[in-house]
């Protein structure tokens, strides 16, 4: 039950993109097509779960016992950068089309604030290892859901007659704001 | 204090080493074998990444070449040498193309085009000039004289002459087409280098205003189009050459009162 609450909370109620406003760059950048949004979401989820495991081990087994908590930000950045490199290699090996569809946004997961924010929240809330993995999974799923909703809307949007001044980024930002408002409705759920 | 710094440095160094060795190991295991030809072709290309071939850069072009989605002569910058070496690497016949070169289709410099009698002090580039009531010339179709084309040229093949018009140095021009894209008035066009007759004007005003704003404009009289059999068409008071139907012997080039249409000494630059 505890784990379920953590999952729902990370995925929907405290959605990383639409409630905490983390990871806006890929949210706007990769939400053109549903297929690339899905693969970006999956890559991010994968990185988040791995980050959860590695940064939990790093923080609670190395940094806390040796009183090196002040190193958490640089060491987390190191963890994330290496993991993203690793994920990039895996995706390049497994699927060239996904690798090309993600393009520049894959290396940009390195500097995705959603991941660093996630790692910092993890240490702040002092979750157990299992809880952190579920938290990572929930955060990743929430990120994917946000991207998928956005890409679905944007695919429809291409067929509509948007006023010239609002075409492209402006209408996307307006929709993002409306979606964030909609997600506020979940606030009292947990 | 000192020990804290040392511990911090050692911790981060150690972590970095651990992750680096992990990545090195993963790289060995997960390395994707790229076609070695891609690297070789990439080395043979100019690597200016100008985008003249229509690809996202030289590496992208090399990938497309190996996949067979591009032709060896697709790189306008490298010229014959590059085409030759790519064809050798791929083991195919090199195609032959005539290089596209930019032509400045406006001759209304500071002397010819009538000024608005205004004085403007500020940034002189075209992007600014077009916002400040469309530049200081009365003609709303001609060269703005700000030199945006010169500043985008990576190959130093353009300069602004003393009359305030851009000039192209054919020897340096690679035909990448960036100047034509940069021109806000579309005065610079890309044409095959063996073309030698052009309408050096873009003015679509009526004859009266055309004459008022510039002494070398196409006034839209249509005398050149009269017996051309479709070689020249009149569109919006401007003569447009249809190069497919053009027959130079049928055109009364000498009759043009403003010399807006002219045959120039073409330097045919062939890429065999």
């Amino acid at each position: 039950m505890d784990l379920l609450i953590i999952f729902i909370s990370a995925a929907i109620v405290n959605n990383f993109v639409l409630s905490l406003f983390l990871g806006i760059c890929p949210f706007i950048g990769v939400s053109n097509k549903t297929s690339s949004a899905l693969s970006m979401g999956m890559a991010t989820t994968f990185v988040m779960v791995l980050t959860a495991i590695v940064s939990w081990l790093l923080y609670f087994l190395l940094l806390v016992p040796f009183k090196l908590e002040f190193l958490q930000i640089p060491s987390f950045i190191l963890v994330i950068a290496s993991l993203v490199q690793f994920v990039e290699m895996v995706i390049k090996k497994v699927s060239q089309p996904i690798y090309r569809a993600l393009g520049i946004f894959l290396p940009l997961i390195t500097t995705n604030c959603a991941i660093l924010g996630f790692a910092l929240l993890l240490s702040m809330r002092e979750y157990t290892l299992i809880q952190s993995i579920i938290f990572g999974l929930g955060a990743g799923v929430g990120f994917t859901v946000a991207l998928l909703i956005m890409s679905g809307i944007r695919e429809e949007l291409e067929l509509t007659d948007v006023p010239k001044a609002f075409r492209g980024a402006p209408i996307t930002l307006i929709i993002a704001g409306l979606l964030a408002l909609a997600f506020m409705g979940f606030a009292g759920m947990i | 204090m000192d020990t804290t710094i040392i511990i911090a440095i050692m911790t981060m160094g150690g972590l970095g080493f651990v992750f680096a060795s992990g990545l090195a190991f993963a790289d060995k295991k997960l390395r994707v074998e790229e076609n070695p030809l891609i690297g070789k072709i990439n080395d043979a290309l100019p690597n200016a990444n100008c985008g003249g071939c229509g690809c996202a850069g030289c590496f992208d072009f090399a990938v497309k070449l190996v996949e067979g989605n591009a032709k060896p002569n697709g790189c306008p910058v490298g010229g014959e040498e590059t085409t030759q070496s790519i064809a050798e690497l791929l083991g195919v016949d090199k195609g032959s193309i005539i290089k596209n070169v930019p032509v400045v289709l406006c001759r209304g410099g500071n002397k010819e085009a009538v000024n608005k009698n205004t004085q403007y002090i500020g940034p002189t580039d075209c992007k600014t000039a077009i916002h400040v009531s469309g530049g200081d010339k009365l003609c709303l179709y001609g060269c703005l004289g700000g030199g945006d084309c010169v500043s985008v040229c990576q190959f130093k093949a353009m300069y602004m002459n003393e009359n305030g018009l851009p000039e192209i140095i054919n020897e340096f021009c690679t035909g990448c087409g960036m100047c034509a894209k940069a021109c806000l008035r579309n005065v610079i066009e890309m044409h095959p280098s063996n073309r030698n007759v052009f309408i050096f004007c873009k003015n679509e005003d009526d004859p009266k205003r055309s004459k008022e704003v510039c002494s070398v404009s196409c006034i839209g009289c249509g005398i050149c189009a009269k017996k051309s059999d479709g070689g020249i068409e009149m569109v919006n008071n401007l003569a447009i050459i249809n190069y497919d139907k053009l027959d130079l012997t049928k055109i009364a080039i000498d009759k043009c009162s403003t010399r807006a249409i002219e045959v120039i000494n073409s330097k045919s630059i062939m890429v065999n």
Side-chain angles (χ1 to χ4, degrees), chain A residues 10-28:
Chain A
I12 297 173
V13 182
N14 292 320
N15 187 295
F16 267 63
V17 180
L18 295 169
S19 299
L20 301 179
F21 307 113
L22 293 167
I24 298 293
C25 168
F27 179 61
I28 303 293

Side-chain angles (χ1 to χ4, degrees), chain A residues 63-173:
Chain A
L63 298 185
V64 173
F66 292 97
K67 302 222 180 320
L68 291 168
E69 288 96 334
F70 63 92
L71 281 178
Q72 66 166 327
I73 291 180
S75 57
F76 284 174
I77 290 175
L78 201 62
V79 168
I80 294 161
S82 339
L83 282 177
V84 170
Q85 281 291 312
F86 179 70
V87 170
E88 193 178 349
M89 284 178 199
V90 172
I91 290 184
K92 200 174 176 186
K93 177 88 178 175
V94 175
S95 167
Q96 282 281 330
I98 293 181
Y99 180 71
R100 273 186 214 167
L102 292 179
I104 184 70
F105 290 100
L106 192 55
L108 277 182
I109 299 180
T110 324
T111 49
N112 190 340
C113 54
I115 312 241
L116 183 65
F118 159 75
L120 292 175
L121 279 176
L122 186 87
S123 57
M124 217 186 287
R125 293 183 185 173
E126 301 192 335
Y127 283 145
T128 63
L129 183 57
I130 304 293
Q131 283 174 330
S132 326
I133 294 171
I134 296 298
F135 183 46
L137 206 60
V141 168
F143 185 82
T144 314
V145 166
L147 245 71
L148 278 179
I149 294 175
M150 192 62 174
S151 62
I153 295 175
R154 281 182 75 175
E155 276 184 357
E156 292 290 315
L157 207 64
E158 274 179 21
L159 306 171
T160 55
D161 187 24
V162 180
K164 205 178 174 189
F166 286 105
R167 266 176 219 168
I171 193 79
T172 313
L173 289 172

